[in-house]
Coordinates of all heavy atoms in Angstrom, one line a residue:
M1 N 0.8 -1.2 0.0 CA 0.0 0.0 0.0 C 0.9 1.2 0.0 O 1.8 1.3 0.8 CB -0.9 0.0 1.2 CG -1.7 1.3 1.3 SD -2.3 1.7 3.0 CE -3.6 0.6 3.2
K2 N 0.6 2.2 -0.9 CA 1.3 3.4 -1.0 C 0.7 4.4 0.0 O -0.5 4.7 0.0 CB 1.3 3.9 -2.4 CG 2.2 5.2 -2.5 CD 2.1 5.7 -4.0 CE 2.9 7.0 -4.1 NZ 2.9 7.5 -5.4
I3 N 1.6 5.0 0.9 CA 1.1 6.0 1.8 C 1.6 7.4 1.3 O 2.8 7.5 1.0 CB 1.7 5.8 3.2 CG1 1.1 4.4 3.7 CG2 1.3 6.9 4.1 CD1 1.6 4.0 5.0
T4 N 0.7 8.3 1.2 CA 1.1 9.6 0.7 C 1.0 10.7 1.8 O 0.1 10.7 2.5 CB 0.1 10.1 -0.4 OG1 0.1 9.1 -1.4 CG2 0.5 11.4 -1.0
N5 N 2.1 11.4 2.0 CA 2.2 12.5 3.0 C 1.5 13.7 2.3 O 2.1 14.3 1.4 CB 3.6 12.7 3.4 CG 3.7 13.8 4.4 OD1 2.7 14.5 4.7 ND2 4.9 14.0 5.0
P6 N 0.4 14.2 2.8 CA -0.3 15.3 2.2 C 0.5 16.6 2.3 O 0.2 17.6 1.6 CB -1.6 15.4 3.0 CG -1.3 14.7 4.3 CD -0.3 13.6 4.0
L7 N 1.5 16.6 3.2 CA 2.2 17.9 3.4 C 3.5 17.9 2.5 O 4.2 18.9 2.5 CB 2.6 18.0 4.9 CG 1.5 18.1 5.9 CD1 2.0 18.3 7.3 CD2 0.5 19.3 5.5
R8 N 3.7 16.8 1.8 CA 4.9 16.8 0.9 C 4.6 17.7 -0.3 O 3.6 17.6 -0.9 CB 5.2 15.4 0.4 CG 6.2 14.7 1.2 CD 6.5 13.4 0.5 NE 7.1 13.5 -0.8 CZ 7.2 12.6 -1.7 NH1 6.6 11.4 -1.5 NH2 7.8 12.8 -2.8
P9 N 5.5 18.6 -0.6 CA 5.3 19.4 -1.8 C 5.0 18.7 -3.1 O 4.3 19.2 -3.9 CB 6.7 20.2 -1.9 CG 7.3 20.1 -0.6 CD 6.8 18.8 0.0
G10 N 5.5 17.4 -3.2 CA 5.2 16.7 -4.4 C 3.7 16.3 -4.6 O 3.3 16.0 -5.6
N11 N 2.9 16.5 -3.5 CA 1.5 16.2 -3.5 C 0.7 17.5 -3.8 O -0.5 17.5 -3.8 CB 1.1 15.6 -2.2 CG -0.3 15.0 -2.3 OD1 -0.8 14.5 -3.4 ND2 -1.1 15.1 -1.2
A12 N 1.4 18.6 -4.0 CA 0.7 19.9 -4.2 C 0.8 20.3 -5.6 O 1.7 20.1 -6.3 CB 1.4 20.9 -3.3
T13 N -0.3 21.0 -6.0 CA -0.3 21.5 -7.4 C -0.5 23.1 -7.3 O -0.4 23.7 -8.3 CB -1.5 20.9 -8.2 OG1 -2.7 21.1 -7.5 CG2 -1.2 19.5 -8.5
L14 N -0.9 23.6 -6.1 CA -1.1 25.0 -6.0 C -0.1 25.6 -5.0 O 0.3 24.9 -4.0 CB -2.5 25.3 -5.5 CG -3.7 24.8 -6.4 CD1 -5.0 25.2 -5.8 CD2 -3.6 25.4 -7.8
T15 N 0.1 26.9 -5.2 CA 0.9 27.6 -4.2 C 0.1 28.9 -3.9 O -0.5 29.5 -4.8 CB 2.3 28.0 -4.8 OG1 3.0 26.9 -5.1 CG2 3.1 28.8 -3.8
V16 N 0.0 29.3 -2.7 CA -0.7 30.5 -2.3 C 0.3 31.5 -1.8 O 1.3 31.2 -1.2 CB -1.8 30.1 -1.2 CG1 -1.1 29.7 0.1 CG2 -2.7 31.2 -1.0
K17 N -0.1 32.8 -2.0 CA 0.8 33.9 -1.7 C -0.1 35.0 -1.1 O -1.2 35.2 -1.6 CB 1.6 34.4 -2.9 CG 2.5 35.5 -2.6 CD 3.1 35.9 -3.9 CE 4.0 37.2 -3.7 NZ 4.2 37.9 -4.9
V18 N 0.4 35.7 -0.1 CA -0.3 36.9 0.4 C 0.5 38.1 -0.1 O 1.7 38.3 0.1 CB -0.3 36.9 2.0 CG1 -0.9 38.2 2.5 CG2 -1.1 35.7 2.5
N19 N -0.2 39.0 -0.8 CA 0.4 40.2 -1.2 C 0.4 41.2 0.0 O -0.6 41.7 0.4 CB -0.5 40.9 -2.3 CG 0.2 42.1 -2.9 OD1 0.7 42.9 -2.2 ND2 0.1 42.3 -4.2
E20 N 1.6 41.4 0.5 CA 1.8 42.2 1.7 C 1.4 43.6 1.6 O 1.0 44.3 2.5 CB 3.3 42.1 2.1 CG 3.8 40.7 2.5 CD 5.3 40.7 2.6 OE1 6.0 41.7 2.5 OE2 5.8 39.6 2.8
Q21 N 1.4 44.1 0.3 CA 1.0 45.5 0.1 C -0.5 45.7 0.2 O -1.0 46.8 0.4 CB 1.6 46.0 -1.2 CG 3.0 45.7 -1.4 CD 3.8 46.8 -2.0 OE1 3.2 47.5 -2.9 NE2 5.0 47.0 -1.7
H22 N -1.2 44.6 0.0 CA -2.7 44.7 0.0 C -3.4 44.2 1.3 O -4.5 44.6 1.6 CB -3.3 44.0 -1.2 CG -3.0 44.6 -2.5 ND1 -3.0 43.9 -3.7 CD2 -2.5 45.8 -2.8 CE1 -2.7 44.7 -4.7 NE2 -2.4 45.9 -4.2
C23 N -2.7 43.3 2.0 CA -3.3 42.8 3.2 C -3.5 43.8 4.3 O -2.6 44.6 4.6 CB -2.4 41.7 3.8 SG -3.0 41.0 5.4
Q24 N -4.8 43.9 4.8 CA -5.1 44.8 5.8 C -5.5 44.1 7.2 O -6.0 44.7 8.1 CB -6.3 45.7 5.4 CG -6.0 46.5 4.2 CD -4.9 47.6 4.5 OE1 -5.0 48.3 5.5 NE2 -4.0 47.7 3.6
G25 N -5.2 42.8 7.2 CA -5.4 42.1 8.5 C -6.9 41.7 8.8 O -7.2 41.6 9.9
H26 N -7.7 41.5 7.8 CA -9.1 41.2 8.0 C -9.3 39.8 8.6 O -10.3 39.4 9.1 CB -9.9 41.3 6.7 CG -10.0 42.7 6.2 ND1 -10.8 43.6 6.8 CD2 -9.5 43.3 5.1 CE1 -10.7 44.8 6.1 NE2 -9.9 44.6 5.1
A27 N -8.3 38.9 8.4 CA -8.2 37.6 9.1 C -9.2 36.6 8.5 O -9.3 35.5 9.1 CB -8.4 37.7 10.6
R28 N -9.9 36.8 7.5 CA -10.8 35.8 6.9 C -10.0 34.6 6.4 O -10.4 33.5 6.5 CB -11.6 36.4 5.8 CG -12.6 37.5 6.2 CD -13.4 37.9 5.1 NE -14.2 39.0 5.5 CZ -15.1 39.7 4.7 NH1 -15.2 39.3 3.4 NH2 -15.8 40.7 5.1
C29 N -8.8 34.9 5.9 CA -8.0 33.8 5.3 C -7.7 32.7 6.4 O -7.9 31.5 6.2 CB -6.7 34.3 4.7 SG -5.8 35.4 5.8
K30 N -7.2 33.2 7.5 CA -6.9 32.3 8.6 C -8.1 31.6 9.2 O -8.1 30.4 9.6 CB -6.1 33.0 9.7 CG -5.6 32.1 10.8 CD -4.7 32.8 11.7 CE -4.0 32.1 12.9 NZ -4.4 30.8 13.1
A31 N -9.3 32.3 9.2 CA -10.5 31.7 9.7 C -10.9 30.5 8.8 O -11.4 29.5 9.2 CB -11.6 32.7 9.8
I32 N -10.7 30.7 7.5 CA -11.1 29.7 6.5 C -10.1 28.6 6.4 O -10.4 27.4 6.3 CB -11.3 30.4 5.1 CG1 -12.5 31.3 5.2 CG2 -11.4 29.3 4.0 CD1 -12.7 32.2 4.0
A33 N -8.8 28.9 6.4 CA -7.8 28.0 6.2 C -6.6 28.2 7.1 O -5.5 28.6 6.8 CB -7.3 28.0 4.7
P34 N -6.8 27.8 8.4 CA -5.7 28.0 9.4 C -4.5 27.1 9.1 O -3.4 27.3 9.6 CB -6.4 27.6 10.7 CG -7.5 26.7 10.4 CD -8.0 27.2 9.0
E35 N -4.7 26.1 8.2 CA -3.6 25.2 7.8 C -2.7 25.9 6.8 O -1.5 25.5 6.6 CB -4.1 23.9 7.1 CG -5.2 23.2 7.9 CD -6.6 23.6 7.6 OE1 -6.8 24.7 7.2 OE2 -7.5 22.7 7.8
L36 N -3.2 27.0 6.2 CA -2.4 27.7 5.2 C -1.9 29.0 5.6 O -0.9 29.5 5.0 CB -3.3 27.8 3.9 CG -3.8 26.5 3.3 CD1 -4.7 26.8 2.1 CD2 -2.6 25.7 2.8
F37 N -2.6 29.7 6.6 CA -2.2 31.1 6.9 C -2.0 31.2 8.4 O -2.6 30.6 9.2 CB -3.3 32.0 6.5 CG -3.7 32.0 5.0 CD1 -4.7 31.2 4.6 CD2 -2.9 32.7 4.1 CE1 -5.0 31.1 3.2 CE2 -3.2 32.6 2.7 CZ -4.3 31.8 2.3
E38 N -1.1 32.1 8.7 CA -0.9 32.6 10.1 C -0.7 34.1 10.1 O -0.7 34.7 9.0 CB 0.4 31.9 10.7 CG 1.6 32.2 10.0 CD 2.8 31.4 10.5 OE1 2.7 30.5 11.3 OE2 4.0 31.7 10.1
F39 N -0.5 34.7 11.2 CA -0.4 36.1 11.3 C 1.1 36.5 11.7 O 1.7 35.7 12.5 CB -1.3 36.8 12.3 CG -2.8 36.6 12.0 CD1 -3.7 36.1 12.9 CD2 -3.2 36.9 10.7 CE1 -5.0 35.9 12.6 CE2 -4.6 36.7 10.4 CZ -5.4 36.2 11.3
D40 N 1.5 37.6 11.2 CA 2.8 38.1 11.7 C 2.6 38.9 13.0 O 1.4 39.0 13.5 CB 3.6 38.9 10.6 CG 2.9 40.2 10.3 OD1 2.0 40.6 11.0 OD2 3.3 40.7 9.2
E41 N 3.6 39.5 13.5 CA 3.5 40.2 14.8 C 2.6 41.4 14.7 O 2.2 42.0 15.7 CB 4.9 40.5 15.4 CG 5.7 41.4 14.5 CD 6.6 40.7 13.5 OE1 6.2 39.6 13.0 OE2 7.7 41.2 13.2
F42 N 2.3 41.8 13.5 CA 1.4 43.0 13.3 C 0.0 42.7 13.0 O -0.8 43.5 12.7 CB 2.0 43.9 12.3 CG 3.4 44.4 12.6 CD1 4.5 43.8 11.9 CD2 3.7 45.3 13.6 CE1 5.8 44.2 12.2 CE2 5.0 45.7 13.9 CZ 6.1 45.1 13.2
G43 N -0.3 41.4 12.9 CA -1.7 41.0 12.6 C -1.9 40.8 11.1 O -3.1 40.7 10.7
Y44 N -0.9 40.9 10.3 CA -1.1 40.7 8.8 C -0.8 39.2 8.5 O 0.0 38.5 9.2 CB -0.1 41.6 8.0 CG -0.4 43.0 8.2 CD1 0.5 43.8 9.0 CD2 -1.6 43.6 7.7 CE1 0.2 45.2 9.2 CE2 -1.8 45.0 7.9 CZ -0.9 45.7 8.7 OH -1.2 47.0 8.9
A45 N -1.5 38.7 7.5 CA -1.4 37.3 7.1 C 0.0 37.0 6.4 O 0.5 37.8 5.7 CB -2.5 36.9 6.2
R46 N 0.4 35.8 6.7 CA 1.5 35.2 5.9 C 1.3 33.8 5.7 O 0.5 33.2 6.5 CB 2.9 35.5 6.6 CG 3.0 34.8 7.9 CD 4.3 35.3 8.6 NE 4.4 34.7 9.9 CZ 5.3 35.2 10.8 NH1 6.1 36.2 10.5 NH2 5.3 34.6 12.0
V47 N 1.9 33.2 4.7 CA 1.6 31.8 4.4 C 2.4 30.9 5.3 O 3.5 31.2 5.8 CB 1.8 31.5 2.9 CG1 0.9 32.3 2.0 CG2 3.3 31.8 2.5
I48 N 2.0 29.7 5.4 CA 2.7 28.6 6.1 C 3.3 27.7 5.1 O 2.7 27.5 4.0 CB 1.7 27.8 7.0 CG1 1.1 28.8 8.1 CG2 2.4 26.6 7.7 CD1 0.0 28.1 8.9
R49 N 4.4 27.1 5.4 CA 5.1 26.1 4.5 C 5.4 26.7 3.1 O 5.2 26.1 2.1 CB 4.3 24.8 4.3 CG 4.2 23.9 5.5 CD 3.5 22.6 5.2 NE 2.3 22.8 4.5 CZ 1.1 23.0 5.1 NH1 1.0 23.1 6.4 NH2 0.0 23.2 4.4
H50 N 5.8 28.0 3.1 CA 6.2 28.7 1.9 C 5.0 28.7 0.9 O 5.2 28.9 -0.3 CB 7.4 28.0 1.2 CG 8.6 27.9 2.1 ND1 9.3 29.0 2.5 CD2 9.1 26.8 2.7 CE1 10.3 28.6 3.3 NE2 10.2 27.3 3.5
G51 N 3.8 28.6 1.4 CA 2.6 28.7 0.5 C 2.2 27.4 -0.2 O 1.3 27.4 -1.0
T52 N 2.9 26.3 0.0 CA 2.6 25.1 -0.6 C 1.2 24.6 -0.1 O 0.9 24.6 1.1 CB 3.6 24.0 -0.3 OG1 4.9 24.4 -0.8 CG2 3.2 22.7 -0.9
V53 N 0.3 24.3 -1.0 CA -1.1 23.9 -0.7 C -1.2 22.4 -0.9 O -1.2 21.9 -2.1 CB -2.1 24.6 -1.5 CG1 -3.5 24.2 -1.2 CG2 -1.9 26.2 -1.4
P54 N -1.3 21.6 0.2 CA -1.6 20.2 0.0 C -2.9 20.0 -0.8 O -3.8 20.8 -0.6 CB -1.7 19.7 1.4 CG -1.0 20.6 2.2 CD -1.1 22.0 1.6
S55 N -3.0 19.1 -1.7 CA -4.1 19.0 -2.6 C -5.5 19.0 -1.9 O -6.4 19.5 -2.4 CB -4.0 17.8 -3.5 OG -3.8 16.6 -2.8
E56 N -5.5 18.4 -0.7 CA -6.8 18.3 0.0 C -7.2 19.7 0.5 O -8.4 19.9 1.0 CB -6.8 17.3 1.1 CG -6.0 17.6 2.3 CD -4.5 17.2 2.1 OE1 -4.1 16.9 1.0 OE2 -3.8 17.2 3.1
L57 N -6.4 20.7 0.5 CA -6.7 22.0 0.9 C -6.9 23.0 -0.2 O -7.1 24.2 0.0 CB -5.6 22.6 1.8 CG -5.4 21.8 3.1 CD1 -4.2 22.4 3.9 CD2 -6.7 21.8 4.0
N58 N -6.9 22.5 -1.5 CA -7.1 23.4 -2.6 C -8.4 24.2 -2.5 O -8.4 25.4 -2.8 CB -7.2 22.6 -3.9 CG -5.8 22.1 -4.3 OD1 -4.8 22.4 -3.7 ND2 -5.8 21.2 -5.4
K59 N -9.5 23.5 -2.1 CA -10.8 24.2 -2.0 C -10.7 25.3 -0.9 O -11.2 26.5 -1.1 CB -11.9 23.2 -1.6 CG -13.3 23.8 -1.7 CD -14.3 22.7 -1.5 CE -15.7 23.3 -1.6 NZ -16.7 22.2 -1.4
K60 N -10.1 25.1 0.2 CA -9.9 26.1 1.2 C -9.1 27.3 0.7 O -9.3 28.4 1.0 CB -9.3 25.5 2.5 CG -10.3 24.7 3.4 CD -9.6 24.4 4.7 CE -10.6 23.8 5.7 NZ -10.0 23.7 7.0
A61 N -8.0 27.0 0.0 CA -7.2 28.0 -0.6 C -8.0 28.9 -1.5 O -7.9 30.1 -1.5 CB -6.0 27.4 -1.3
R62 N -8.8 28.3 -2.3 CA -9.7 29.1 -3.3 C -10.7 29.9 -2.5 O -11.0 31.0 -2.9 CB -10.4 28.1 -4.2 CG -9.5 27.4 -5.2 CD -8.9 28.2 -6.2 NE -8.2 27.5 -7.2 CZ -7.3 28.0 -8.1 NH1 -7.1 29.3 -8.1 NH2 -6.7 27.2 -8.9
L63 N -11.3 29.3 -1.4 CA -12.3 30.1 -0.6 C -11.6 31.3 0.0 O -12.2 32.3 0.1 CB -12.8 29.1 0.5 CG -14.1 28.3 0.1 CD1 -14.4 27.4 1.3 CD2 -15.2 29.3 -0.2
A64 N -10.4 31.1 0.6 CA -9.7 32.2 1.2 C -9.4 33.3 0.2 O -9.6 34.5 0.5 CB -8.4 31.7 1.8
E65 N -9.0 32.9 -1.0 CA -8.8 33.9 -2.1 C -10.0 34.6 -2.4 O -10.0 35.9 -2.5 CB -8.3 33.1 -3.3 CG -8.1 34.1 -4.5 CD -7.8 33.3 -5.8 OE1 -8.4 32.2 -6.0 OE2 -7.0 33.8 -6.6
A66 N -11.1 33.9 -2.5 CA -12.4 34.6 -2.8 C -13.0 35.5 -1.7 O -13.7 36.4 -2.0 CB -13.5 33.5 -3.2
N67 N -12.6 35.2 -0.5 CA -13.2 35.9 0.6 C -12.3 37.0 1.2 O -12.7 37.7 2.2 CB -13.5 34.9 1.8 CG -14.8 34.2 1.5 OD1 -15.9 34.8 1.7 ND2 -14.7 33.0 0.9
C68 N -11.1 37.2 0.7 CA -10.3 38.3 1.1 C -10.8 39.6 0.5 O -10.8 39.8 -0.7 CB -8.8 38.1 0.7 SG -7.8 39.6 1.2
P69 N -11.3 40.5 1.4 CA -11.9 41.8 0.8 C -10.9 42.7 0.2 O -11.3 43.6 -0.6 CB -12.5 42.4 2.1 CG -11.8 41.8 3.2 CD -11.4 40.4 2.8
E70 N -9.6 42.4 0.4 CA -8.6 43.3 -0.2 C -8.0 42.6 -1.5 O -7.1 43.2 -2.1 CB -7.5 43.6 0.8 CG -7.9 44.2 2.1 CD -8.5 45.5 1.9 OE1 -8.2 46.2 0.9 OE2 -9.4 45.9 2.7
G71 N -8.4 41.4 -1.8 CA -7.8 40.8 -3.0 C -6.3 40.5 -2.8 O -5.6 40.5 -3.7
A72 N -6.0 40.2 -1.5 CA -4.5 40.1 -1.2 C -4.0 38.7 -1.4 O -2.8 38.5 -1.3 CB -4.3 40.6 0.2
I73 N -4.9 37.7 -1.6 CA -4.4 36.4 -1.7 C -4.4 36.0 -3.2 O -5.3 36.2 -4.0 CB -5.4 35.4 -1.0 CG1 -5.3 35.8 0.5 CG2 -5.0 34.0 -1.2 CD1 -6.2 35.0 1.4
E74 N -3.3 35.4 -3.6 CA -3.1 35.0 -5.0 C -2.7 33.5 -5.0 O -2.0 33.0 -4.1 CB -1.9 35.8 -5.6 CG -2.2 37.3 -5.6 CD -0.9 38.1 -6.0 OE1 -0.4 37.8 -7.1 OE2 -0.5 38.9 -5.2
I75 N -3.2 32.8 -6.0 CA -3.0 31.4 -6.1 C -2.3 31.1 -7.4 O -2.8 31.7 -8.4 CB -4.3 30.6 -5.9 CG1 -4.8 30.7 -4.5 CG2 -4.0 29.1 -6.3 CD1 -6.1 30.0 -4.3
F76 N -1.3 30.3 -7.4 CA -0.6 29.9 -8.6 C -0.6 28.4 -8.8 O -0.5 27.7 -7.8 CB 0.9 30.4 -8.5 CG 1.0 31.9 -8.3 CD1 1.0 32.4 -7.0 CD2 1.1 32.7 -9.4 CE1 1.1 33.8 -6.8 CE2 1.2 34.1 -9.2 CZ 1.2 34.6 -7.9
K77 N -0.7 28.0 -10.0 CA -0.6 26.5 -10.3 C 0.9 26.2 -10.4 O 1.7 27.1 -10.7 CB -1.3 26.2 -11.5 CG -2.8 26.3 -11.4 CD -3.5 25.8 -12.7 CE -5.0 26.0 -12.5 NZ -5.7 25.8 -13.8
R78 N 1.2 25.0 -10.2 CA 2.6 24.6 -10.3 C 3.2 25.0 -11.6 O 2.5 24.8 -12.7 CB 2.7 23.1 -10.1 CG 4.2 22.6 -10.2 CD 4.2 21.1 -10.1 NE 4.0 20.7 -8.7 CZ 3.8 19.5 -8.3 NH1 3.8 18.5 -9.2 NH2 3.6 19.2 -7.1
G79 N 4.3 25.6 -11.6 CA 4.9 26.0 -12.9 C 4.7 27.5 -13.2 O 5.5 28.0 -14.0
E80 N 3.7 28.1 -12.6 CA 3.5 29.5 -12.8 C 4.5 30.3 -12.0 O 5.0 29.8 -10.9 CB 2.1 29.9 -12.4 CG 1.0 29.4 -13.3 CD -0.4 29.9 -12.9 OE1 -0.6 30.1 -11.7 OE2 -1.2 30.0 -13.8
V81 N 4.8 31.4 -12.4 CA 5.8 32.3 -11.7 C 5.1 33.4 -11.0 O 4.1 34.0 -11.4 CB 6.7 32.9 -12.8 CG1 7.8 33.8 -12.1 CG2 7.4 31.8 -13.6
F82 N 5.5 33.6 -9.7 CA 5.0 34.7 -8.9 C 5.2 36.0 -9.7 O 6.3 36.3 -10.3 CB 5.7 34.9 -7.6 CG 5.3 33.8 -6.6 CD1 6.0 33.6 -5.5 CD2 4.3 32.9 -6.8 CE1 5.7 32.6 -4.5 CE2 3.9 31.9 -5.9 CZ 4.6 31.8 -4.8
A83 N 4.2 36.9 -9.6 CA 4.4 38.2 -10.3 C 5.2 39.1 -9.4 O 5.2 39.0 -8.2 CB 3.0 38.8 -10.6
Ligands
F3S101 FE1 -5.1 39.9 4.9 FE2 -7.1 39.3 3.4 FE3 -6.3 37.6 5.2 S1 -6.7 41.3 4.2 S2 -5.5 38.9 6.8 S3 -5.1 38.3 3.4 S4 -8.4 38.0 4.6

């Protein structure tokens, strides 16, 4: 039986990023996906695990992106380059 570690980057197809210039600390991202986001010492969001999204968290990542009122969350597919 093959066991897959969901936290291994090889199991991920998406990467999430917080645009620090747009984040205003609304905290919806962490409420929706605490596995993907945490706060810095000022209350602004930052990603966990360099933004690697385990595949079972893809939906949460998309929800967080859709619910950030500042549009500060960006999602990239594997192979895409950060802007
Ligand atoms: Fe910032 Fe948006 Fe989250 S404003 S704290 S990235 S919901």
Side-chain angles (χ1 to χ4, degrees):
M1 176 201 287
K2 182 179 178 185
I3 299 173
T4 304
N5 179 350
L7 300 181
R8 262 186 67 198
N11 191 33
T13 57
L14 299 179
T15 300
V16 68
K17 181 184 174 200
V18 176
N19 185 321
E20 298 169 2
Q21 307 221 331
H22 292 161
C23 177
Q24 295 296 314
H26 293 290
R28 293 185 188 178
C29 53
K30 187 171 178 355
I32 291 168
E35 306 92 335
L36 299 174
F37 302 96
E38 63 185 6
F39 298 131
D40 66 15
E41 62 270 33
F42 303 105
Y44 297 109
R46 63 185 176 199
V47 295
I48 298 172
R49 291 187 309 276
H50 305 289
T52 300
V53 181
S55 56
E56 71 274 16
L57 296 178
N58 285 354
K59 190 173 180 180
K60 282 190 170 186
R62 296 287 188 198
L63 270 175
E65 178 188 38
N67 281 280
C68 174
E70 305 296 333
I73 296 174
E74 301 169 58
I75 294 178
F76 301 87
K77 291 182 182 172
R78 180 181 286 169
E80 288 181 332
V81 178
F82 288 168

